[in-house]
Amino acid sequence: MADRTDSLEDHLFMQLDLKTLPQNMAKIIHLYIHHLDENGYLNISVETAAKQAKVSTEEAQEGLEILQMLDPAGIGARSLQECLLIQISRDAKAPAIASEVIEHHFLEFADKKWKHIAKAINVPIQDIQKVSDYIQTLNPRPAAPFINDLPQYITPDLMVKYHNGELELYLVEHAVPRIGLNEDYTSMMSASQDEQVSQFLKEKVQEYRWIQKSIQSRKETLLKIGNILLEKQHDFFLYGKGQLKPLTMKEVSEMIDMHESTVSRAVREKYIQTPFGTFPLKSFFSNALPIHTETGEDSASSTQIKTAISDLIAKEDKKKPLSDQAIVNLLNQEGYAISRRTVAKYREQLNIPSSAKRKRYDD
């Protein structure tokens, strides 16, 4: 069962109940609270709110200031920049230059043009690095803890277990829909002499058998695909991520003598539970990229390449991060034939910033 949490509105109203506010002030703050988005940002202007609440602009501005003093820090901000500034202003441990950097050099800071900022405010670039480390501790979405979405649980369709030294594949039976005929109605209709009733029953029995056959066919197709994956991706099921080999749906369709579209439909929104976690079946399919080995040219999956890129970046010297070309050179040494453009594309898909934005300026 998911934990029940108070809503953001309840949390804010509870704080307001502890304050003695004039009627107009309470009215405008209540209006603001009803105009907070899921991140806790205010999506109505002071001027518009003043008109709707029928208060002066000055009162509306004062009401906003009171709202922004409530917890969680950053609530009622109208932009990410303002959200960060509110949190900085309420934190005695914030770096001395944090407010100045965020208020006057926000875009340059985000683009990591730190040398220009350091020169403009006459501080060492290491101080800008400290501001960046501090900003990472702030919450850009102050209302996030109050989002009361129920967790979505995944039920795997297939399961791979390591048993007696062998990998074994199982179909998770309760994941397959069950269907049956209502015996009471079937008996009652069978005894009827009415032709229309008999015809209706005949049609429904045929539909029932067709659905049963379809479900059985679905189970068999899923098991066939699962067994192919177990054979072709054996190393993954033994050792985990980074061991996926190139495998396309077309190849699998030829192995099980079915159309590629059938394979695509069969694996759509289906999951397999492994010793290393639960994964979408679609994640086991990827195109091949060339890799040069001592015995000749082989191939590697895009997943393998991405894992290799992630590993290289994780181990790099953050004061001298690897450029995309440097990553290409290192991958070439490992036998991967890959271009700088492909490295950049995979890096972006992994949500890893460029080398310039990964660089640290520590003392």
Side-chain angles (χ1 to χ4, degrees), residues 93-112:
K93 297 179 181 179
I97 62 170
S99 289
E100 183 177 2
V101 170
I102 298 302
E103 184 171 0
H104 301 293
H105 305 278
F106 183 65
L107 293 179
E108 289 177 305
F109 179 76
D111 289 336
K112 210 161 184 179

Side-chain angles (χ1 to χ4, degrees), residues 204-259:
K204 295 307 170 187
V205 170
Q206 287 177 343
E207 286 180 19
Y208 166 68
R209 288 173 180 167
W210 179 83
I211 293 173
Q212 272 192 320
K213 185 178 179 181
S214 297
I215 291 173
Q216 183 61 32
S217 176
R218 172 187 179 275
K219 290 165 60 175
E220 291 171 359
T221 300
L222 207 53
L223 279 171
K224 286 179 182 178
I225 295 171
N227 281 313
I228 294 294
L229 292 179
L230 194 60
E231 176 189 346
K232 297 297 180 181
Q233 305 292 7
H234 193 262
D235 287 349
F236 173 88
F237 294 110
L238 280 179
Y239 308 114
K241 287 184 177 180
Q243 303 298 324
L244 281 180
K245 295 179 180 178
L247 183 67
T248 64
M249 289 189 186
K250 184 177 181 181
E251 291 173 308
V252 173
S253 68
E254 291 172 353
M255 292 176 196
I256 63 176
D257 194 25
M258 289 184 176
H259 196 275

Side-chain angles (χ1 to χ4, degrees), residues 241-243 289-291 300-318 321-355 358:
K241 287 184 177 180
Q243 303 298 324
L289 292 172
I291 176 173
S301 72
S302 58
T303 304
Q304 283 178 295
I305 301 290
K306 288 179 181 179
T307 300
I309 292 171
S310 294
D311 290 344
L312 287 172
I313 291 175
K315 297 172 184 175
E316 70 183 359
D317 180 355
K318 297 304 178 185
L322 297 169
S323 66
D324 289 344
Q325 186 57 53
I327 293 173
V328 168
N329 297 339
L330 290 171
L331 290 176
N332 285 342
Q333 291 174 21
E334 295 181 21
Y336 296 107
I338 189 171
S339 68
R340 187 193 62 78
R341 182 178 295 179
T342 303
V343 166
K345 181 179 76 172
Y346 285 173
R347 176 176 53 72
E348 290 171 0
Q349 289 176 356
L350 291 166
N351 293 319
I352 297 175
S354 65
S355 58
R358 297 199 307 274

Side-chain angles (χ1 to χ4, degrees), residues 29-48:
I29 297 174
H30 279 224
L31 177 66
Y32 284 143
I33 290 174
H34 289 302
H35 279 84
L36 295 175
D37 66 17
E38 62 182 9
N39 295 317
Y41 287 51
L42 188 65
N43 58 21
I44 188 173
S45 69
V46 171
E47 293 75 19
T48 302

Side-chain angles (χ1 to χ4, degrees), residues 156 158-160 169 237 270-274 277-279 281 284:
L158 295 173
M159 185 181 296
V160 173
L169 179 74
F237 294 110
K270 303 295 190 300
Y271 294 83
I272 184 168
Q273 183 175 312
T274 78
T278 301
F279 303 90
L281 284 178
F284 291 87

